[in-house]
Amino acid sequence: MNYTLHQLLVFLKVVETCSITKAAEELHLTQPAVSIQLKNFQDQFEIPLTEVLGRKIQITEFGYEIAKLVKPILDQINSIEEKTLAFKGQLTGKLRISVVSTGKYVMPYFLGDFMKLHKGVDLVMDVTNKSKVLESLENNEVDFALLSILPKDMNLEYMDLLDNDLYLVGDKKSTLEIRNYSEDIFKDLPLIFREKGSGTRQTMERFIEGSKINIQKKMELTSNEAVKQAVLAGLGYSIMPLIGIKNELQSGQLKIIPVNGLPITTKWRLVWLKGKKHMPVPNAFLDFLNTEKCRILDTFFADLV
């Protein structure tokens, strides 16, 4: 037997993702490179680790047993690297953040320079829907979450990062003129909503309910990107966060329809459980944001603030 650490890493990632394609993406390798490493690892066993059923790779019972042994080996290797960096005086450890889907346009800019400064920090950032973000936060599975609307039933601390402005948006072929409309305009528009539970959906519904508008036609889609593509295709209008559509506005593919009462402004907030005792890496990230937040806003969000 002559396993390499690279083979162990590739095999474990294939087991975790049940996909050569996804493993390749997460490891920043090509699919052929992953397939070759997997084959070289498999060739050292007489019992199959994986099998292909249809077009999908499946992990055998033996494969799962081997993966259980591989994981602590790789964990120990990571510990060696972390100890080495620690003895050199560098910050080491994990930073775990859960981000609502639209937050993907925000959070990376607040992380970039921090990750460059601290090479020993591993970032685990999950971009998902609001309910899963709140679940991971409540279960103390993450250090921080990025939200635009805070839940009322959770005891949280937070740091404001950026204003979140939401406008009524249509595609470039919209016949609506660029002038101020009353809220009555919504009665005749086909509106596109995010799924229930989304922060954008909640903000949109509060505005509509507060204006006592009776919506006639509406669609529901499960991501901000899907809503944006639907608006671009001329399927309807939506109230959308400016942060996610600024490129399309600049290129003229989308246009803002001015309406009384808009924009709606919420805050992008980095939140954590009240009283949480942060480890050194999350503490260092908070210190970094306290020092660098204004510079980051000026550098990347000057056209939004």
Side-chain angles (χ1 to χ4, degrees):
M1 298 292 186
N2 187 24
Y3 320 126
T4 67
L5 290 175
H6 192 48
Q7 288 171 2
L8 297 180
L9 178 62
V10 167
F11 172 66
L12 187 60
K13 188 59 68 175
V14 169
V15 172
E16 290 173 348
T17 60
C18 291
S19 166
I20 288 178
T21 301
K22 290 180 180 178
E25 289 174 357
E26 293 191 19
L27 293 170
H28 305 292
L29 297 171
T30 64
Q31 291 183 41
V34 169
S35 296
I36 289 170
Q37 292 299 323
L38 184 62
K39 181 181 182 303
N40 290 341
F41 189 57
Q42 172 65 79
D43 286 346
Q44 300 180 71
F45 299 92
E46 295 181 1
I47 305 171
L49 299 166
T50 63
E51 55 186 349
V52 178
L53 300 177
R55 291 185 168 184
K56 194 170 183 181
I57 191 167
Q58 302 285 346
I59 313 302
T60 65
E61 182 181 356
F62 178 65
Y64 279 118
E65 291 299 317
I66 295 300
K68 289 178 186 177
L69 299 173
V70 167
K71 189 175 187 312
I73 294 172
L74 293 177
D75 287 345
Q76 288 297 317
I77 296 299
N78 288 332
S79 295
I80 291 172
E81 293 176 353
E82 288 182 5
K83 288 290 185 185
T84 302
L85 290 170
F87 269 80
K88 291 166 67 176
Q90 297 185 31
L91 187 67
T92 64
K94 285 188 177 181
L95 181 61
R96 303 166 302 163
I97 303 178
S98 189
V99 177
V100 292
S101 58
T102 311
K104 66 178 177 284
Y105 301 110
V106 177
M107 200 68 238
Y109 296 100
F110 289 92
L111 287 162
D113 286 344
F114 178 79
M115 297 303 296
K116 289 175 185 175
L117 282 171
H118 303 291
K119 303 292 187 183
V121 172
D122 291 326
L123 173 64
V124 180
M125 188 172 80
D126 184 29
V127 180
T128 184
N129 60 48
K130 185 180 177 183
S131 62
K132 290 184 178 177
V133 169
L134 293 178
E135 182 181 341
S136 63
L137 191 63
E138 191 170 22
N139 293 337
N140 200 27
E141 296 169 351
V142 294
D143 301 304
F144 303 110
L146 184 71
L147 298 167
S148 61
I149 298 179
L150 300 185
K152 295 179 180 179
D153 57 349
M154 291 181 68
N155 204 3
L156 301 172
E157 297 180 66
Y158 62 86
M159 177 188 292
D160 288 344
L161 295 184
L162 179 69
D163 282 350
N164 183 34
D165 295 326
L166 295 93
Y167 292 85
L168 178 66
V169 179
D171 74 298
K172 63 181 179 182
K173 295 180 181 178
S174 168
T175 56
L176 293 179
E177 299 173 10
I178 305 301
R179 64 176 178 82
N180 273 342
Y181 290 89
S182 72
E183 295 91 330
D184 290 340
I185 189 177
F186 288 98
K187 294 178 181 178
D188 302 316
L189 293 183
L191 283 181
I192 304 171
F193 286 73
R194 284 286 307 275
E195 77 283 4
K196 287 187 180 297
S198 155
T200 302
R201 168 73 171 256
Q202 289 177 329
T203 303
M204 193 169 172
E205 286 182 332
R206 285 176 188 172
F207 172 75
I208 290 170
E209 290 167 5
S211 303
K212 298 180 180 178
I213 304 166
N214 184 23
I215 302 300
Q216 300 296 324
K217 304 174 183 177
K218 71 177 184 179
M219 290 171 270
E220 183 176 305
L221 300 175
T222 57
S223 74
N224 202 63
E225 190 64 30
V227 171
K228 180 166 68 176
Q229 293 303 321
V231 175
L232 284 167
L235 289 176
Y237 298 79
S238 189
I239 296 176
M240 302 188 69
L242 183 61
I243 188 71
I245 57 172
K246 62 178 184 177
N247 291 337
E248 287 76 14
L249 290 172
Q250 290 170 357
S251 67
Q253 294 175 281
L254 294 176
K255 63 181 181 180
I256 289 173
I257 313 299
V259 176
N260 293 337
L262 294 179
I264 307 163
T265 299
T266 61
K267 294 279 188 184
W268 285 113
R269 287 173 167 141
L270 190 73
V271 306
W272 59 95
L273 292 175
K274 189 174 181 64
K276 182 175 175 64
K277 298 186 184 302
H278 288 305
M279 298 295 284
V281 170
N283 263 331
F285 184 54
L286 286 178
D287 289 342
F288 169 82
L289 290 179
N290 279 318
T291 303
E292 300 293 332
K293 183 176 75 169
C294 291
R295 179 187 61 79
I296 293 169
L297 291 176
D298 289 341
T299 303
F300 298 109
F301 302 103
D303 54 343
L304 296 176
V305 297

